[in-house]
């Protein structure tokens, strides 16, 4: 999702999610959620400067200076690489009624990158995003229909 599409997301996607919660019987004061746009394809790079430039360690969060002042956004380096330059992931918090402090939300985001079942280390995006991407690809390219209900409780096929 590009910056120009954020108003569309606010008007349509977030509104649809709120309507689903309301249809389930939750009132607006009970409705606490956070909607984050996760972007992997960015050109931003960060370097650790101690003598010679090197990659920042896994878990590095950048939420000041290079972020946009009018937005609630941050960058997270969730992986470490042995060769080349590590790529951070951009997180843009569009709606936040959860009451979580930014520090807690950033730590939760980093911890979710450790929970992808098919990889022993961290992945670039939080596990729920990776699962959603894999499922959408599987359904769109292979199944051409909804997946079987028998697979709902198994994550290994993703």
């Amino acid at each position: 999702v590009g910056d120009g599409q954020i108003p569309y997301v606010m008007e349509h996607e977030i509104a649809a999610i709120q309507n689903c919660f309301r249809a389930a019987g939750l009132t607006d004061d009970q409705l606490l959620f956070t909607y984050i746009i996760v972007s992997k394809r960015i050109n931003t790079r960060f370097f650790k400067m101690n003598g010679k430039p090197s990659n920042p360690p896994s878990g590095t969060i950048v939420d000041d200076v290079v972020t946009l002042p009018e937005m609630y956004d941050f960058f997270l380096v969730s992986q470490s690489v042995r060769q080349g330059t590590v790529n951070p992931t951009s997180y843009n918090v569009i709606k936040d009624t959860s009451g979580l402090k930014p520090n807690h939300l950033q730590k939760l985001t980093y911890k979710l990158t450790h929970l992808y079942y098919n990889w022993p280390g961290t992945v670039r995006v939080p596990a729920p995003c990776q699962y959603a991407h894999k499922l959408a690809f599987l359904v769109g390219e292979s199944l051409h229909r909804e997946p079987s209900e028998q697979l709902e409780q198994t994550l290994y096929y993703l």
Side-chain angles (χ1 to χ4, degrees):
V1 174
D3 289 342
Q5 295 172 312
I6 291 175
Y8 177 84
V9 169
M10 292 285 289
E11 293 171 14
H12 293 90
E13 292 185 25
I14 294 177
I17 292 170
Q18 289 173 321
N19 289 336
C20 288
F21 283 134
R22 288 184 195 114
L26 291 172
T27 61
D28 285 338
D29 59 327
Q30 293 173 316
L31 183 57
L32 304 176
F33 77 101
T34 303
Y35 193 98
I36 303 173
I37 295 175
V38 181
S39 302
K40 291 191 320 183
R41 294 182 180 146
I42 58 172
N43 294 323
T44 307
R45 301 290 182 266
F46 297 109
F47 297 96
K48 180 179 168 186
M49 299 299 290
N50 52 349
K52 66 175 193 166
S54 62
N55 284 318
S58 178
T60 299
I61 293 173
V62 178
D63 63 356
D64 196 16
V65 180
V66 295
T67 57
L68 299 171
E70 67 274 3
M71 300 175 116
Y72 175 13
D73 61 339
F74 61 95
F75 295 94
L76 169 64
V77 175
S78 60
Q79 298 174 304
S80 56
V81 295
R82 297 176 192 262
Q83 184 177 359
T85 305
V86 69
N87 295 327
T89 303
S90 171
Y91 296 86
N92 191 347
V93 182
I94 300 301
K95 176 97 173 166
D96 185 17
T97 61
S98 68
L100 287 174
K101 295 178 182 175
N103 187 35
H104 294 152
L105 186 62
Q106 293 164 358
K107 285 181 182 178
L108 174 64
T109 303
Y110 177 58
K111 289 179 180 184
L112 285 172
T113 63
H114 290 79
L115 298 179
Y116 185 61
Y117 185 80
N118 290 342
W119 190 254
T122 58
V123 290
R124 277 192 70 193
V125 297
C129 295
Q130 187 69 19
Y131 288 128
H133 172 74
K134 291 284 190 175
L135 184 60
F137 181 80
L138 175 70
V139 171
E141 295 292 320
S142 304
L143 298 180
H144 305 294
R145 58 187 164 92
E146 288 190 34
S148 170
E149 290 184 19
Q150 296 172 341
L151 297 175
E152 285 181 354
Q153 299 301 316
T154 57
L155 299 176
Y156 61 86
Y157 75 97
L158 295 175

